[in-house]
Amino acid sequence: MKGRQFSLVLGGGGMKGLAHIGVLRALDERQLYPAEVIGSSVGSLVGAAWCAGLSAEELKAIAVELRRNDLFRIAHRDMALKRMRSPALYRREPFAHFVHGLLGDVTFEELDRPLLVNTIDLDTGRQVFWGSPGLRDIPVADAVLASCALPGYLPPYEIRGRHYVDGAAVSNLPIRATVRSDRDLVMAVDVGSTGAMRHNVHEHGFAAVYARAIEFGIQTMRSNALRHWARPPLLLIQPKVEHIPLLSFSHNAELVAEGERATGELLDEPDAVPPRGASGVFPRRLVTITVNRESCIGCGACRIHGPPGLFVNDSSGKAVVTEPEQVWSPVDQDFLRHCPTGAIVAQPAKERASAA
């Protein structure tokens, strides 16, 4: 990794984005510093604070003390008076007060490091990256507030007479913004997608159901973007935060620690970082795919969502793997969650060998 010119992409994911602070701690420990940071939603908030000069240690101290009331307070008045025309579930003021307190009036031109902030123009659907040429002279805090304006949760944010919302509406992990640069590596941190089981979501109200649906959308967008990725090579970091709800404030320290663990383990793993000139998504590992015949119901989901030709049905209608040994990147296993009975298992080859 030493000497590599890399872009760091920090995706959205609500409070799960506190894991980004741990990522920065792991990079700092190894004296690895990105040439630019590209952030969406909470990723833009963490990235902006770091680019403005706050250290990962300072950010961790702030994160572990955060409470729901510091950021989110229900817009009771708007909901009572405007009803269906209420701009959002939560008031903007507490979140804006926090962001302005963190970033002040610094503009993109005044940052210590280059930063791009992913937003969507609500009227046109146009994706706008603040910090790009011609879009650097506004306060960074304004761009962050726009990028964090998750529709339904926080009101759209006005900049120069136009209204913007969370960039996750189009791209929660905005890796495409890196293709314009001359970097030889992209490091992307995904905290938003999830395949984890959640029980009784429907019993927690419309906000919980909507948040869950957002996670599904983020998962699909991420998979589609990564599946067609070529160059520069992309190293995907996936902290294990799937079990944590989008707006939970009960796991702050755990999230930071997990981001640091996931990043450190990956960077210290031999051959995990793709070499210069490589293409596609990394890390890549040898896995063995098996089908539990007792669980398989022959529904064909594996053939619909999996790689073409990897699965066929035998004479009894059960799924059979045509090539059990596969070299997979993180995106290749996404189809596993579509099996309704969980009959498909992809196990690291070394684990399978040691178990035998």
Side-chain angles (χ1 to χ4, degrees):
M1 267 301 287
K2 290 290 186 181
R4 300 291 292 271
Q5 287 286 312
F6 69 96
S7 298
L8 179 63
V9 181
L10 303 177
M15 293 306 296
K16 293 186 284 188
L18 295 183
H20 293 318
I21 298 172
V23 173
L24 294 173
R25 281 169 56 87
L27 291 174
D28 187 54
E29 181 181 345
R30 291 158 180 78
Q31 297 184 316
L32 300 173
Y33 304 106
E36 64 180 348
V37 177
I38 302 167
S40 187
S41 196
V42 66
S44 75
L45 175 59
V46 174
W50 186 74
C51 288
L54 274 75
S55 69
E57 289 299 317
E58 290 172 315
L59 290 173
K60 178 184 177 182
I62 294 170
V64 296
E65 296 297 327
L66 269 180
R67 298 296 178 264
R68 180 180 297 274
N69 224 34
D70 296 331
L71 303 181
F72 301 112
R73 298 178 197 170
I74 294 177
H76 291 291
R77 181 179 176 83
D78 279 344
M79 295 177 71
L81 297 179
K82 298 180 181 179
R83 298 180 182 273
M84 293 299 291
R85 296 181 68 86
S86 176
L89 177 63
Y90 297 108
R91 295 165 50 201
R92 174 187 293 123
E93 292 80 9
F95 192 79
H97 178 76
F98 173 79
V99 172
H100 283 295
L102 198 64
L103 299 174
D105 296 323
V106 64
T107 67
F108 286 89
E109 296 168 335
E110 298 169 327
L111 292 174
D112 293 346
R113 302 175 179 88
L115 171 72
L116 295 180
V117 173
N118 180 30
T119 65
I120 301 298
D121 185 319
L122 184 60
D123 294 319
T124 66
R126 184 182 300 117
Q127 190 173 20
V128 178
F129 286 98
W130 298 98
S132 299
L135 298 171
R136 294 174 178 161
D137 59 340
I138 68 164
V140 175
D142 286 350
V144 169
L145 286 168
S147 188
C148 291
L150 182 63
Y153 285 88
L154 289 169
Y157 195 82
E158 183 177 352
I159 302 176
R160 295 176 176 172
R162 303 198 68 85
H163 292 83
Y164 296 87
V165 296
D166 192 340
V170 169
S171 176
N172 188 61
L173 195 66
I175 55 177
R176 293 295 304 172
T178 65
V179 298
R180 63 178 182 78
S181 69
D182 58 355
R183 316 305 176 205
D184 61 29
L185 176 67
V186 175
M187 186 180 297
V189 187
D190 174 31
V191 296
S193 56
T194 181
M197 174 70 76
R198 299 271 175 78
H199 296 284
N200 303 320
V201 175
H202 64 284
E203 295 180 357
H204 297 281
F206 77 91
V209 173
Y210 183 52
R212 185 62 168 154
I214 289 171
E215 289 179 330
F216 296 148
I218 285 173
Q219 172 88 22
T220 301
M221 286 190 291
R222 188 219 65 162
S223 297
N224 290 340
L226 293 178
R227 188 172 293 113
H228 302 290
W229 185 262
R231 293 184 178 178
L234 187 148
L235 181 65
L236 185 65
I237 300 173
Q238 296 177 289
K240 295 179 180 179
V241 296
E242 291 188 334
H243 62 290
I244 298 175
L246 199 67
L247 297 181
S248 171
F249 283 76
S250 302
H251 307 269
N252 295 14
E254 175 191 343
L255 285 163
V256 176
E258 173 55 21
E260 184 170 5
R261 182 209 63 79
T263 305
E265 285 189 5
L266 190 58
L267 292 176
D268 294 342
E269 180 182 327
D271 303 321
V273 178
R276 286 184 175 91
S279 63
V281 180
F282 293 79
R284 293 179 179 170
R285 298 186 174 96
L286 182 66
V287 299
T288 302
I289 308 168
T290 57
V291 176
N292 185 322
R293 292 186 61 80
E294 292 184 4
S295 300
C296 179
I297 58 176
C299 66
C302 54
R303 289 185 288 117
I304 294 172
H305 298 284
L310 183 58
F311 294 94
V312 296
N313 283 18
D314 63 13
S315 57
S316 65
K318 303 281 187 175
V320 175
V321 187
T322 58
E323 295 183 47
E325 300 293 320
Q326 296 278 319
V327 177
W328 270 10
S329 76
V331 71
D332 291 319
Q333 62 186 358
D334 284 349
F335 76 91
L336 296 180
R337 64 191 176 94
H338 291 289
C339 177
T341 62
I344 307 170
V345 176
Q347 189 175 22
K350 61 180 181 181
E351 290 184 13
R352 181 175 174 84
S354 61

